[in-house]
Amino acid sequence: TQLLEQSPQFLSIQEGENLTVYCNSSSVFSSLQWYRQEPGEGPVLLVTVVTGGEVKKLKRLTFQFGDARKDSSLHITAAQPGDTGLYLCAGEGNSGGSNYKLTFGKGTLLTVNP
Amino acid sequence: GAGVSQSPSNKVTEKGKDVELRCDPISGHTALYWYRQSLGQGLEFLIYFQGNSAPDKSGLPSDRFSAERTGGSVSTLTIQRTQQEDSAVYLCASSLVWGQPQHFGDGTRLSIL
């Protein structure tokens, strides 16, 4: 069974601060996705990283996939109240025939205070 | 429609009753997924449909859970003889084909009294 551990589970910061969320596993994933979920809504895909060592930037968000494709991080620069939400990482399987299954972490609940 | 539509958005029922949850995927999407999101537990895969192929039911937690997808479009998740531990948000997602990005609905919040 492939598991993804996210940390921290909760994070409360002030507007303008930087933060990093981590997603770790002992398993290798063919790709890793990051989602953001707001209360009462479904998760919305932010980015997919595929190549080991890959770095993707989305405005103030920087996503990194570990060289061994077992871990990932999300860094937010100068956080804003609009960044508040539940951030989920999800790994796509690396075993043939079940690659459509996403394994989700439990999420990091981020609160950015004005 | 423009996105994945789920109904009802909220469902409160008594323990022991049966419930049906509906998912309308994005038009043209052949892959459909059901997940369960419990408080503090993240998303748990339940079942996957791809076109006319046999569904992958490996994530269903018990035989009280079943799902069908009629005509390759709308899907219904049925929970029989509901238990309190079934209380959760049930999320549906669809994608063009497997391996493509999944688009989620807003979920059905199920509460078992």
Side-chain angles (χ1 to χ4, degrees):
Chain A
T1 303
Q2 296 178 306
L3 296 175
L4 276 169
E5 299 288 336
Q6 277 191 250
S7 62
Q9 189 176 357
F10 301 96
L11 189 56
S12 180
I13 62 171
Q14 294 300 122
E15 182 176 1
E17 292 183 357
N18 301 333
L19 66 114
T20 302
V21 175
Y22 299 93
C23 180
N24 297 298
S25 176
S26 58
S27 301
V28 175
F29 291 97
S30 57
S31 70
L32 203 136
Q33 302 173 11
W34 284 93
Y35 291 81
R36 179 167 166 264
Q37 185 178 22
E38 298 197 45
E41 298 182 6
V44 175
L45 181 66
L46 296 174
V47 77
T48 301
V49 285
V50 179
T51 307
E54 182 176 5
V55 176
K56 280 193 175 179
K57 292 193 175 184
L58 187 64
K59 296 183 180 178
R60 293 176 294 99
L61 278 60
T62 302
F63 304 86
Q64 188 163 8
F65 201 12
D67 290 342
R69 290 186 291 133
K70 293 183 180 180
D71 54 81
S72 181
S73 64
L74 158 61
H75 182 79
I76 302 179
T77 303
Q80 299 177 2
D83 295 328
T84 293
L86 179 68
Y87 288 82
L88 295 157
C89 66
E92 190 169 26
N94 205 22
S95 54
S98 300
N99 284 359
Y100 49 80
K101 287 186 183 179
L102 288 179
T103 300
F104 280 84
K106 293 185 179 181
T108 293
L109 185 60
L110 171 65
T111 303
V112 182
N113 303 297
Chain B
V4 177
S5 177
Q6 291 189 245
S7 61
S9 54
N10 286 283
K11 177 71 176 180
V12 181
T13 192
E14 293 179 347
K15 176 183 171 181
K17 300 285 189 183
D18 297 352
V19 294
E20 280 190 358
L21 313 180
R22 176 188 167 105
C23 173
D24 226 316
I26 293 173
S27 178
H29 281 194
T30 62
L32 186 145
Y33 317 75
W34 282 98
Y35 296 88
R36 180 169 68 176
Q37 186 173 29
S38 303
L39 196 61
Q41 291 301 314
L43 273 73
E44 172 191 12
F45 167 82
L46 296 178
I47 189 169
Y48 159 75
F49 296 90
Q50 172 61 64
N52 295 321
S53 303
D56 178 350
K57 305 179 182 179
S58 60
L60 294 179
S62 77
D63 58 8
R64 295 186 295 105
F65 288 72
S66 63
E68 61 179 23
R69 188 178 184 192
T70 53
S73 182
V74 172
S75 177
T76 302
L77 177 68
T78 301
I79 309 173
Q80 296 179 309
R81 305 181 301 282
T82 53
Q83 304 293 314
Q84 287 187 331
E85 61 263 28
D86 299 335
S87 295
V89 176
Y90 290 82
L91 289 159
C92 174
S94 71
S95 64
L96 200 57
V97 293
W98 75 267
Q100 292 298 306
Q102 297 182 24
H103 300 263
F104 284 82
D106 288 339
T108 293
R109 181 174 297 277
L110 177 63
S111 300
I112 309 299
L113 302 178

